[in-house]
Amino acid sequence: MILRSHHRILVFGATGRQGTFWTGEMIKYGARVVGAVNPRKAGETHLGLPVLGSAADAAGEFEVALMFVPPGAARDAVIDACEAGARLIVCLAEHIPVHDVMEMLAAARLHGSLVAGPNTAGLVTPGESFAGIMPAFNDAMFRPGTVGVISRSGSLGALACLNLSRRGFGQSTFFGVGGDQIIGTTTREALELLDHDPGTSAVVICGEIGGNAEEEAAEYASGMSKPVIAFIAGRASPPGKKMGHAGALVDGGTGSYASKRCSLEASGVAVANLPGELPELIAAAVQAA
Amino acid sequence: MNFEEWVSKPLLREFGIATPEGAAFDNPQAARAAFQGPCTVKAQVPAGARGKAGGIKFAFSPEEAFEAAAGILGSTISGHHVERVLVEEKVEIEQELYAAVLTDRTNRCPSILFSAAGGVDVENMAASRESAMHSLQVDILNGFSLEQAEKLVADTGIGTAEGLVAETLTRLYAAYRSLDAELLEINPLAVTKDGRVVALDCKFTLDDASVARQPGLAGKGAPESRTDLERAAAKEGLRLIQLDGSVGILANGAGLTMTTMDAVAHFGGSPANFLEIGGDAYTKAEPALRIVLSQPGVKSLLVNFCGAFARTDVMAAGVVKAWKRLNPAIPAFFSVHGTGEEKAVALIRDELGIEPFDRMDDAVKAAVAAAGSKP
């Protein structure tokens, strides 16, 4: 699902330092935040929001759960949110033990909840709402428009949106899929979402080395009528090293830049050498379509 | 984090999986003294295909055990200096199997891999043999039952000791879960001539994100090959990967940092490092800059910030402070956008007298030009 202004958002960990700052920014931006969750502060009020002990206390009264919880508490928080009927869960934490990630994603599948992340910078629908740690309020970077942006990285996604906005290409939505090895919504699944979104006319994929997310997305893109373009980070990275993200590792021949670029180009996806080339490629693709 | 065989085998035993009797030694005299019968002397390095590289020898007398250990200790196997050998009773093998539990990133669940053709280097398995690899995706919420294991073993058709092998698979899964493993592999898993099922090797990789909650394991991992500067950076809580180029890079976030390296290479330069100060590390610009500047061969500095969560004004303040104190003799080039941009640009302009570039590509080109041609 794409985050909309009418979606009601419950923020886990909104009472912490970062949670307070970003939840405050979300409210200012117009995101419909309906409550905070912190079992130790249940019953209090924070940023004018009721603080609940558990998502169960707000069952049926929210669609989106945003997680500002530390890695060790993420699994239980996500399971709490799915059991309370969350349709979409945005999980920001990095370094969640991988077994916990598998458990929470299995629980989400069971309850029909979509998870963005872990290790995502969040979701932005310019002019409507945002959930996470992206500066949606920076209007040089994010503007309403029709280009959907998918990114494994927050900082690179921000740069891509900045380049697009500067050349007049606003965004239908920004979907941060996350930099971890195992994530709830893959690049391919996010691409499918944007393909079905009537507000999206073209898609930019910001990928990176490691895993096979871009190869899977390329396969899906080959059957799309909307133009898709991409940039893949990590061409100059040495193999065998985790490049900051747990998922950014070229290991024993898999996950290489060459493999990703080849798959994407074979599917008709133009690949930018640098993010600065994205606007020209999008302009050319839109004109051709 | 990887674990060598001599550390991971005792872990298997804790979960009821048999391994040969043995012990690890760092000198050949001890290997000789420990001789009790025909044995295998194995180099302890975090690499596969040790046999082919001369890292596995058999000994049938105390003197042979001494010689085998003396030959292996101190040698280099697949780029690793051998500091320890594992001396184990030699096992009479009837059949060699392959068994592993791993974190399957495509299917987002644990997967069991099992094959009747063990003992070979599975990564280099020919396509025909790969078809003999049976796999099962496990529902992590329900676990892996003995019935599932029995079916997997029956489907593979090994013929002997099927009950014991199935039980071993369930124990391997229990170990994988308890140890927060990313990979737990037994290759070969031997059925012995006297009908036992014994793990002849074990490869264990611990999930890096779980190190903190496995305190008993953290100190036992194989040391990572790191440079002194990488170790110094880790002490500051920074992720540095040292390269041999001449353009020092400071950027926020893994994706943007990789992209900055790509841009340096694209415009003909060579990156000196990967060092990101995104996420929670965005307040660490000062130690980060100190580390980049202390790297030999750095001829220019490229600072590329695109702030989302990371506030560029906080990062710029750290850079400015460190720059003024260290007063380096190399030129610096900035591109700063995103959260806190106006304050950050003003700070760099006013305090350092440097005008940040409006386009990232222009900052990269200038940094590459200032670093000069490749050595």
Side-chain angles (χ1 to χ4, degrees):
Chain A
M1 71 187 251
I2 285 167
L3 185 66
R4 295 294 174 204
S5 55
H6 65 265
H7 286 137
R8 293 166 297 179
I9 307 173
L10 194 59
V11 184
F12 283 64
T15 49
R17 195 167 60 91
Q18 295 296 348
T20 298
F21 174 76
W22 288 98
T23 307
E25 292 295 329
M26 284 165 56
I27 294 168
K28 264 195 262 171
Y29 193 70
R32 198 174 164 199
V33 183
V34 294
V37 178
N38 180 344
R40 280 173 291 118
K41 295 189 175 173
E44 294 178 15
T45 302
H46 185 71
L47 298 169
L49 304 166
V51 182
L52 311 173
S54 150
D57 300 337
E61 289 163 27
F62 72 101
E63 289 83 29
V64 178
L66 170 64
M67 303 286 165
F68 276 100
V69 298
R75 174 188 56 190
D76 291 350
V78 168
I79 292 174
D80 178 25
C82 340
E83 286 174 348
R87 284 179 57 204
L88 171 68
I89 297 165
V90 181
C91 188
L92 305 173
E94 185 176 7
H95 306 304
I96 303 175
V98 173
H99 287 215
D100 286 6
V101 174
M102 291 190 286
E103 284 183 56
M104 71 197 209
L105 295 184
R109 268 196 298 272
L110 207 63
H111 290 92
S113 313
L114 181 71
V115 177
N119 196 7
T120 172
L123 312 179
V124 181
T125 302
E128 289 201 45
S129 186
F130 88 97
I133 51 174
M134 290 297 277
F137 40 84
N138 182 327
D139 55 15
M141 203 173 263
F142 291 100
R143 287 183 191 176
T146 64
V147 178
V149 179
I150 300 166
S151 184
R152 282 166 73 177
S153 154
S155 56
L156 175 56
L159 180 67
C161 290
L162 176 77
N163 280 316
L164 292 172
S165 291
R166 283 183 155 193
R167 298 282 295 275
F169 294 101
Q171 303 87 37
S172 56
T173 202
F174 168 85
F175 198 114
V177 292
D180 271 8
Q181 281 202 30
I182 294 190
I183 49 179
T185 305
T186 63
T187 302
R188 181 201 164 109
E189 289 162 343
L191 186 59
E192 209 171 326
L193 272 172
L194 294 179
D195 190 21
H196 294 131
D197 171 40
T200 299
S201 63
V203 182
V204 172
I205 294 173
C206 296
E208 58 192 42
I209 52 166
N212 62 348
E214 292 75 15
E215 287 86 338
E216 285 175 2
E219 193 187 288
Y220 183 83
S222 64
M224 278 173 70
S225 53
K226 292 177 187 179
V228 180
I229 63 165
F231 169 74
I232 310 297
R235 187 179 201 169
S237 293
K241 302 268 184 192
K242 269 187 195 171
M243 304 305 291
H245 283 158
L249 169 70
V250 179
D251 190 13
T254 66
S256 73
Y257 178 85
S259 153
K260 291 170 187 304
R261 185 162 188 156
C262 268
S263 304
L264 288 164
E265 287 179 340
S267 298
V269 175
V271 180
N273 291 305
L274 293 173
E277 295 174 7
L278 288 170
E280 291 149 49
L281 292 184
I282 255 298
V286 168
Q287 207 158 35
Chain B
M1 181 180 275
N2 291 308
F3 293 80
E4 289 167 359
E5 183 187 7
W6 67 285
V7 181
S8 52
K9 275 182 168 167
L11 295 171
L12 289 184
R13 287 199 288 273
E14 284 176 27
F15 288 87
I17 298 173
T19 68
E21 291 293 321
F25 304 104
D26 60 4
N27 67 82
Q29 290 79 11
R32 175 170 53 199
F35 184 86
Q36 287 179 333
C39 63
T40 314
V41 181
K42 304 172 84 178
Q44 296 300 291
V45 286
R50 283 170 299 168
K52 277 180 225 155
I56 300 178
K57 289 177 178 162
F58 297 109
F60 297 91
S61 69
E63 222 32 59
E64 282 180 19
F66 175 88
E67 278 166 26
I72 293 171
L73 286 164
S75 69
T76 301
I77 307 270
S78 309
H80 299 275
H81 183 77
V82 185
E83 288 170 6
R84 200 174 266 106
V85 288
L86 179 64
V87 180
E88 281 186 337
E89 64 163 316
K90 191 169 177 299
V91 172
E92 295 303 317
I93 300 167
E94 175 74 31
Q95 195 176 355
E96 289 188 324
L97 314 170
Y98 173 93
V101 185
L102 57 82
T103 298
D104 178 342
R105 65 191 266 181
T106 304
N107 297 303
R108 294 176 270 206
C109 65
S111 277
I112 315 282
L113 294 182
F114 182 66
S115 167
V120 291
D121 185 357
V122 174
E123 278 158 25
N124 298 325
M125 226 183 215
S128 59
R129 298 195 73 163
E130 205 168 322
S131 61
M133 185 64 81
H134 291 247
S135 69
L136 179 80
Q137 290 164 29
V138 178
D139 174 354
I140 194 163
L141 299 178
N142 287 323
F144 176 55
S145 69
L146 184 60
E147 289 71 29
Q148 287 175 301
E150 284 168 347
K151 186 172 184 305
L152 181 63
V153 172
D155 288 349
T156 308
I158 57 168
T160 54
E162 292 197 349
L164 270 178
V165 170
E167 214 167 284
T168 303
L169 289 182
T170 61
R171 288 171 180 175
L172 190 63
Y173 181 77
Y176 163 87
R177 289 289 281 141
S178 292
L179 297 171
D180 272 311
E182 187 173 293
L183 169 72
L184 200 50
E185 180 191 73
I186 303 177
N187 184 31
L189 177 68
V191 179
T192 63
K193 288 205 155 73
D194 57 0
R196 291 181 298 144
V197 173
V198 182
L200 295 193
D201 195 1
C202 179
K203 199 166 160 187
F204 168 37
T205 307
L206 171 65
D207 165 33
D208 285 335
S210 299
V211 173
R213 72 174 184 192
Q214 294 284 353
L217 295 175
K220 296 180 182 170
E224 267 185 80
S225 57
R226 277 183 173 166
T227 66
D228 292 343
L229 207 55
E230 286 171 350
R231 260 190 288 274
K235 272 192 199 136
E236 302 274 5
L238 293 164
R239 296 183 274 201
L240 169 74
I241 295 168
Q242 201 175 346
L243 304 165
D244 55 7
S246 55
V247 179
I249 293 171
L250 198 57
N252 66 287
L256 185 67
T257 308
M258 278 192 274
T259 301
T260 310
M261 291 166 62
D262 295 343
V264 167
H266 181 79
F267 292 117
S270 55
N273 64 279
F274 170 95
L275 178 60
E276 60 128 335
I277 54 169
D280 295 330
Y282 78 81
T283 53
K284 294 179 180 165
E286 197 184 345
L289 181 63
R290 194 165 16 87
I291 284 162
V292 174
L293 293 175
S294 66
Q295 215 179 299
V298 173
K299 295 201 180 95
S300 68
L301 176 73
L302 173 59
V303 179
N304 188 17
F305 294 152
C306 193
F309 173 75
R311 284 171 50 186
T312 59
D313 54 333
V314 174
M315 295 189 286
V319 172
V320 164
K321 197 172 156 200
W323 189 268
K324 281 181 145 179
R325 209 169 34 124
L326 298 166
N327 194 22
I330 61 168
F333 305 88
F334 290 80
S335 170
V336 178
H337 296 289
T339 313
E341 172 180 340
E342 276 170 32
K343 256 196 201 171
V345 168
L347 204 60
I348 294 158
R349 188 185 287 145
D350 298 344
E351 298 287 322
L352 300 182
I354 296 171
E355 187 62 31
F357 286 84
D358 185 45
R359 284 167 42 92
M360 169 189 136
D361 291 5
D362 294 332
V364 176
K365 283 181 202 164
V368 169
S373 54
K374 281 188 193 180

